[in-house]
Amino acid sequence: MIIRLATPQDIDLLVMLEKRHLNDELASINIGLEGQAFSRNELSELVSHHWVMVAEVESKIIGYVIAGRWAFFEAWPIYRSLLNRLPQLSWDDPKLTKNNSCQYGPIWVHQTYRGTGVFEALVKALRSVVAPHFSYMLTFIAEENERSFAAHSGKAQMQVVDFFTVSARDYYLMLAKT
């Protein structure tokens, strides 16, 4: 398995994977939600100016994880809610800010490769490329998404720093040091 940063040549495949597999996990846990796939332009920006790590086996992308600066994500209401909460939060003493943290996620691993170490390898590689820029990565996970919560609190060693509600849904705000 090869873990690497995505390149512009990966964008078409990432667009297809986003559309095809976006709701795999949500459907498998029967929570009746649909996610929103990134557009080609958004994925191009993420690849060019932020971080998209891919996992490959035999030149086939079997997983990816995204991290980005808050400026990219703050157009969406849920991320604005998170940013409004940051001044109230701290971890190991420093306050969490737009300058010392970034948004982590989503992460996707092909169903065939789940439980084989791909998730951990992607998160570890992402941490290493984000670390020179940010001390922390933040993500949110819906309260009812137990599988994702277990993976992030266990395999990704993320800690819950807050619990919040947006549009009548409850979320854990989780943090990882880079």
Side-chain angles (χ1 to χ4, degrees):
M1 175 174 60
I2 297 169
I3 304 290
R4 62 173 176 79
L5 282 167
T7 67
Q9 292 75 28
D10 297 317
I11 292 170
D12 287 338
L13 182 55
L14 290 169
V15 168
M16 186 271 304
L17 290 171
E18 273 276 285
K19 288 179 182 174
R20 181 179 295 165
H21 298 289
L22 175 69
N23 294 307
D24 285 359
E25 185 175 4
L26 297 175
S28 72
I29 58 175
N30 295 319
I31 58 176
L33 299 171
E34 287 191 18
Q36 179 180 353
F38 289 112
S39 70
R40 178 178 309 286
N41 287 342
E42 290 165 338
L43 282 166
S44 294
E45 182 176 341
L46 285 163
V47 166
S48 298
H49 303 294
H50 304 271
W51 303 274
V52 179
M53 300 297 298
V54 298
E56 279 185 332
V57 171
E58 298 175 3
S59 300
K60 177 182 168 190
I61 294 178
I62 58 153
Y64 61 89
V65 63
I66 294 169
R69 293 169 179 85
W70 289 110
F72 175 82
F73 289 96
E74 65 189 352
W76 289 286
I78 195 162
Y79 296 107
R80 285 195 305 271
S81 292
L82 292 179
L83 288 169
N84 289 335
R85 300 182 79 73
L86 286 185
Q88 304 156 22
L89 305 173
S90 64
W91 187 257
D92 286 345
D93 209 19
K95 290 284 185 191
L96 297 175
T97 68
K98 286 172 72 170
N99 294 325
N100 69 6
S101 68
C102 68
Q103 163 60 27
Y104 154 90
I107 186 167
W108 171 80
V109 176
H110 190 281
Q111 192 169 11
T112 304
Y113 293 92
R114 292 179 186 167
T116 65
V118 175
F119 179 94
E120 297 96 323
L122 283 167
V123 173
K124 181 179 177 184
L126 183 66
R127 275 185 168 134
S128 70
V129 298
V130 169
H133 308 277
F134 299 103
S135 300
Y136 306 101
M137 298 187 307
L138 291 168
T139 196
F140 61 94
I141 298 172
E143 179 183 31
E144 64 271 12
N145 195 341
E146 295 173 9
R147 181 180 296 154
S148 183
F149 181 83
H152 284 88
S153 60
K155 296 174 183 179
Q157 301 174 347
M158 296 186 91
Q159 304 293 315
V160 175
V161 293
D162 199 9
F163 189 79
F164 65 99
T165 303
V166 172
S167 300
R169 290 204 59 221
D170 297 326
Y171 298 91
Y172 295 101
L173 180 59
M174 301 186 80
L175 171 141
K177 289 184 92 170
T178 57

